[in-house]
Amino acid sequence: MSANASMEDFEALLNESFELKTPDEGSVVKGTVLAVEAGQAIIDIGYKMEGRVDLKEFAKPGHDPEIEIGDTVEVYLERVENARGEAVISRDKARREEAWDRLEKAAENEERVAGAIFGRVKGGFTVDLGGAVAFLPGSQVDVRPVRDASALMHIEQPFQILKMDRRRGNIVVSRRAILEESRAEQRAEIVAKLQEGDTVDGVVKNITEYGAFVDLGGVDGLLHVTDMAWRRVNHPSEILAIGETVKVQVVKINKETQRISLGMKQLQEDPWENVEARYPLDSVHTGRVTNITDYGAFVELEPGVEGLVHVSEMSWTKKNVHPGKIVSTSQEVEVMVLEIDTQKRRVSLGLKQTQGNPWDNFAAAFPVGTEVEGEVKNITEFGLFVGLEGDIDGMVHLSDLDWNRSGEDAIQDYQKGDVVKAVVTDVDVEKERISLSIKALEGDPFADAVAGVKRGAVVTVVVTKIEDGGIEVEYDGMKSFIRRSDLSRDRAEQRPERFSVGDKIDARVTNIDSKTRRLGLSIKAREIAEEKEAVEQYGSSASGASLGDILGAALNKGQDDD
């Protein structure tokens, strides 16, 4: 009876063992550590199956293995049996499967995950996320570039999952996102405490061309180069150094972007206070050239007060010249204050005003009528330009080259570079013009010829040319022309051909034009004047005497006088 019972029990146990389903390969199963030997842990996973796992698979990166006999662990069943009749199991793969499940949930809920950086690869680092290996790009390690990441290795810390692909086994994480989030919270807290106008201490963290970033204790503010000093600062490195502690004022806070603008000059006395009293209009001061542009040069009168010398105010004589050819950077110059705009903080300065107007100076030194000497600088269709004292030019018009020849002919005698003498005939300071005359050096022959001659006088001239319209005559070297209608009182005698070259005739002066240098002459006017005078002296035709009798009497009287 008992034997039968024993057989029945055995059969039941046998059937039960057959009914137990062997776990599938590729699944995670639980097992018990039976022994630890030769660097491996022997694990019973049930179903009369045992397997071996290297101890290193039980160690976290940078730590010793944590495993003891009797521990229950999860392992990944790769194969039910190998050549030695043992199950092929892996603790790493079990942890990886567990980790992927956990990480997928964390990524779905946008939760942080814990991990440790344990290796360096091209472009970044490898991170152990509790069994799953993730890639940490170098740009995602910190908010700023990290040159030495050794201090971050093998330390458990939070990460943010950026991307996951279980099929390909890819995970990308970020440490920077965690830091930025913490930094944003810290920044918001600090910004909330700051007020515009507050004076705080900060440390210079970075310097750029346009300013410096100052750490205010967890939050950075921008100190723009224009707010560092009242004077011109070409580069922030002139007055700041990285790591330097500076006192700054909070100029502006943008609560939305949490950007903070800082200033140093706001803590200093404003040099523009009472600037008009220190620099009255038309006063002259010495300044230093700080910057040169196409349109002028900036001159520093004192630290923080800078004025512009416009290119038009730089030189009396150098037109259309780049300011850099007149002054140089750091040069000390004398300037005159022309205008001040305190609201716009602008000072207009003049350089040429301190040197005196060269046309005023010339007019004082060389009044009209003075003889000067200079080099022919340029020859144009209307005259010569002659270089004069004070780096200015005077012009000799074509009409002022020669008394007797045309300007077009006379100008052929001159070449650029010739040194000539001339007489100053006019100085127009406002128009910046100086008129010269070369022919005036010899005196005016016309003026000499007509000296003492008055309108109405009778002069003796010599016929030099016979023309259809009249005759050309000469008086004391001056040419003149008597028109046909002025050749005689009698129309029948108004014939040019009745005269010959070389004849001497008397004519009456009807006009003296100094501008055109022409002497107006008329034989007809002389005859009429003589007739009138004879009538007045010897009778009138109204008394019964004929005009012939009167003229005859006058003629006889003249012969008797002789």
Side-chain angles (χ1 to χ4, degrees):
M1 184 74 179
S2 60
N4 291 336
S6 297
M7 286 297 295
E8 291 175 357
D9 291 340
F10 176 76
E11 289 178 2
L13 290 172
L14 184 61
N15 291 333
E16 182 179 351
S17 65
F18 285 131
E19 290 176 359
L20 288 174
K21 184 178 180 181
T22 303
D24 295 331
E25 293 181 349
S27 62
V28 177
V29 297
K30 288 187 177 181
T32 302
V33 178
L34 298 179
V36 175
E37 57 185 33
Q40 292 181 322
I42 302 173
I43 301 174
D44 178 10
I45 60 173
Y47 314 100
K48 297 184 178 181
M49 289 188 294
E50 295 177 357
R52 295 173 181 270
V53 178
D54 290 338
L55 292 180
K56 64 181 180 180
E57 294 190 28
F58 295 93
K60 293 181 180 180
H63 295 79
D64 295 331
E66 297 179 358
I67 186 72
E68 293 183 3
I69 297 174
D71 285 349
T72 300
V73 296
E74 288 187 341
V75 292
Y76 181 82
L77 179 61
E78 295 187 46
R79 280 188 294 163
V80 172
E81 187 175 5
N82 59 12
R84 291 184 298 180
E86 295 179 344
V88 179
I89 57 179
S90 169
R91 172 59 182 163
D92 281 344
K93 291 184 178 180
R95 291 176 65 243
R96 188 178 303 124
E97 291 296 317
E98 177 190 0
W100 272 96
D101 292 338
R102 173 172 50 81
L103 293 174
E104 284 180 338
K105 291 180 181 179
E108 184 179 345
N109 297 327
E110 296 183 356
E111 297 175 350
R112 300 178 181 180
V113 295
I117 303 172
F118 68 91
R120 187 187 297 271
V121 294
K122 183 179 180 180
F125 302 86
T126 50
V127 180
D128 179 13
L129 299 178
V133 177
F135 174 63
L136 173 64
S139 62
Q140 296 296 321
V141 176
D142 206 326
V143 291
R144 291 186 178 84
V146 176
R147 294 182 179 179
D148 185 7
S150 58
L152 303 175
M153 304 287 281
H154 308 300
I155 299 175
E156 188 170 284
Q157 51 194 311
F159 294 89
Q160 186 74 41
I161 296 175
L162 300 181
K163 183 179 178 182
M164 284 190 71
D165 188 337
R166 188 162 188 168
R167 184 174 63 85
R168 295 183 178 180
N170 293 336
I171 305 176
V172 180
V173 295
S174 171
R175 178 175 177 268
R176 175 178 177 174
I178 304 297
L179 296 177
E180 287 180 341
E181 185 178 339
S182 301
R183 188 179 180 85
E185 294 174 358
Q186 184 182 21
R187 185 183 186 91
E189 183 179 349
I190 296 174
V191 170
K193 295 179 181 178
L194 291 175
Q195 298 294 328
E196 292 182 3
D198 287 353
T199 299
V200 294
D201 289 331
V203 178
V204 179
K205 294 185 66 176
N206 191 25
I207 293 177
T208 67
E209 290 185 357
Y210 56 85
F213 288 94
V214 180
D215 185 358
L216 303 179
V219 61
D220 289 350
L222 173 62
L223 175 60
H224 197 271
V225 64
T226 57
D227 285 312
M228 292 182 179
W230 291 108
R231 67 176 179 85
R232 177 187 293 270
V233 178
N234 294 317
H235 195 277
S237 59
E238 292 179 10
I239 56 177
L240 293 177
I242 294 177
E244 180 183 357
T245 300
V246 292
K247 191 175 291 295
V248 292
Q249 184 181 89
V250 179
V251 177
K252 186 177 181 181
I253 300 177
N254 189 323
K255 298 291 184 181
E256 295 182 0
T257 61
Q258 295 186 348
R259 290 182 178 176
I260 303 172
S261 297
L262 305 174
M264 286 176 61
K265 72 179 185 182
Q266 288 78 0
L267 300 176
Q268 306 165 5
E269 184 178 353
D270 187 354
W272 278 85
E273 293 292 335
N274 304 318
V275 71
E276 291 175 310
R278 300 197 305 277
Y279 301 99
L281 297 181
D282 298 330
S283 60
V284 176
H285 305 272
T286 300
R288 182 177 61 87
V289 178
T290 57
N291 192 27
I292 297 175
T293 68
D294 291 338
Y295 53 85
F298 288 91
V299 176
E300 184 183 64
L301 299 176
E302 65 175 81
V305 180
E306 197 172 64
L308 171 66
V309 180
H310 192 267
V311 64
S312 61
E313 304 294 345
M314 302 197 81
S315 174
W316 291 105
T317 57
K318 296 178 181 177
K319 310 294 184 182
N320 301 321
V321 175
H322 192 275
K325 294 187 177 180
I326 301 175
V327 296
S328 57
T329 305
S330 299
Q331 178 184 351
E332 288 199 351
V333 293
E334 275 197 344
V335 290
M336 177 180 287
V337 179
L338 304 181
E339 184 182 351
I340 292 182
D341 188 334
T342 53
Q343 291 186 341
K344 294 182 179 180
R345 293 175 174 257
R346 293 178 180 172
V347 180
S348 296
L349 302 172
L351 183 65
K352 68 182 184 182
Q353 287 79 357
T354 62
Q355 301 165 355
N357 186 328
W359 284 273
D360 275 331
N361 298 340
F362 185 87
F366 304 95
V368 172
T370 306
E371 184 179 312
V372 294
E373 185 177 81
E375 180 183 330
V376 176
K377 297 290 187 182
N378 197 16
I379 300 177
T380 69
E381 60 184 9
F382 47 84
L384 307 176
F385 283 93
V386 179
L388 301 172
E389 187 175 307
D391 199 23
I392 57 178
D393 292 344
M395 191 188 80
V396 183
H397 193 269
L398 289 176
S399 60
D400 285 308
L401 290 173
D402 196 284
W403 290 111
N404 302 314
R405 291 188 297 165
S406 68
E408 288 76 7
D409 289 338
I411 202 170
Q412 302 301 322
D413 296 341
Y414 301 93
Q415 292 183 350
K416 194 174 180 180
D418 288 351
V419 176
V420 297
K421 292 183 179 181
V423 174
V424 179
T425 57
D426 184 54
V427 179
D428 191 328
V429 175
E430 290 187 3
K431 294 182 179 180
E432 299 181 350
R433 293 177 183 171
I434 298 174
S435 299
L436 304 174
S437 174
I438 291 178
K439 69 181 184 182
L441 290 168
E442 304 172 358
D444 187 351
F446 177 80
D448 295 339
V450 301
V453 177
K454 296 182 179 179
R455 186 177 178 181
V458 176
V459 296
T460 299
V461 296
V462 178
V463 178
T464 57
K465 191 175 182 181
I466 309 298
E467 297 182 5
D468 291 341
I471 60 174
E472 182 186 78
V473 297
E474 182 179 295
Y475 173 71
D476 199 9
M478 296 301 300
K479 299 287 186 180
S480 188
F481 189 80
I482 303 176
R483 296 177 298 175
R484 175 187 284 269
S485 60
D486 284 317
L487 292 177
S488 177
R489 180 177 181 275
D490 187 352
R491 289 182 62 88
E493 296 298 319
Q494 294 176 351
R495 294 176 292 108
E497 61 271 17
R498 73 185 181 92
F499 297 94
S500 299
V501 174
D503 287 353
K504 292 183 179 180
I505 58 176
D506 291 337
R508 184 181 176 91
V509 178
T510 58
N511 185 37
I512 302 175
D513 192 335
S514 299
K515 290 186 177 179
T516 61
R517 305 180 73 254
R518 302 293 292 180
L519 189 63
L521 299 173
S522 173
I523 299 174
K524 175 181 177 181
R526 188 209 76 200
E527 292 174 346
I528 293 174
E530 288 178 348
E531 177 184 318
K532 182 178 179 181
E533 183 181 354
V535 169
E536 290 176 351
Q537 293 185 14
Y538 300 102
S540 66
S541 56
S543 63
S546 67
L547 182 58
D549 295 336
I550 296 171
L551 292 176
L555 182 58
N556 292 331
K557 177 69 169 70
Q559 291 175 349
D560 292 341
D561 291 341
D562 294 340

